[in-house]
Amino acid sequence: MKTKILLGAVLAWLTLTQTGCILFGLAAAGAAGGGYMAYNKGDLEVLEPVAYNDAFNAVDATIQDLGMALQKRKKMPLAGEVKAKSHFGNVTYSLENAGEKMTQIKIRVGTFGNQAVQRQIYAKLKTHYGAGPRVDPATGLPK
């Protein structure tokens, strides 16, 4: 009789500990999903009181001033994206027209974002608002 009680206790204990492992595994899976969310949230996002075209021109000027190599430039009427290569890594600028003289700007450095470098780039970007185009709109190449 004592053997059956002991065996039942061991089985109950194993069941409880295995359930914990399953819960731990689910928690680990949730943490892996959190890594995906960190990737999405790695951008420096700002809403600037500047016209969309002026913001796009400022991005072009910033890329030139910081010596970045332009990889992709896609400008549409309401949104655009510019990708460049720098010694910090890949830099992605996403711009969205948020209304008259309002632009949503997102800057990402690298895969997960580098907030310190993104703030430096943003500080440089702000100095170019209203500077005018530095890129030929027809070709996307520097003037």
Side-chain angles (χ1 to χ4, degrees), residues 6 8 25 36 39 41 56 58 84 90 101 105 112 115 124 141:
L6 183 61
Y36 178 74
Y39 175 78
K41 300 295 182 185
F56 222 97
N90 292 324
K101 295 191 179 183
I105 302 170
F112 298 105
Q115 290 295 322
K124 186 67 168 175
L141 297 174

Side-chain angles (χ1 to χ4, degrees), residues 17 20 22 28 36-37 54 62 71 73 80 91 94 104 114 134:
T17 59
I22 290 170
Y36 178 74
M37 293 304 292
D54 289 341
T62 301
Q71 294 180 320
R73 184 178 191 276
V91 180
S94 300
Q104 175 79 30
N114 181 331
R134 282 197 169 176

Side-chain angles (χ1 to χ4, degrees), residues 14-83:
L14 285 173
T15 303
L16 290 174
T17 59
Q18 293 304 316
T19 303
C21 287
I22 290 170
L23 291 176
F24 180 75
L26 291 175
Y36 178 74
M37 293 304 292
Y39 175 78
N40 281 341
K41 300 295 182 185
D43 295 339
L44 172 69
E45 298 182 9
V46 292
L47 182 63
E48 288 288 290
V50 63
Y52 173 70
N53 287 330
D54 289 341
F56 222 97
N57 291 335
V59 167
D60 294 333
T62 301
I63 288 172
Q64 288 179 4
D65 282 356
L66 295 178
M68 297 180 191
L70 183 66
Q71 294 180 320
K72 176 184 174 186
R73 184 178 191 276
K74 184 176 181 183
K75 182 179 179 187
M76 297 176 290
L78 297 177
E81 182 177 77
V82 179
K83 292 187 179 192

Side-chain angles (χ1 to χ4, degrees), residues 27 97 133:
N97 190 339

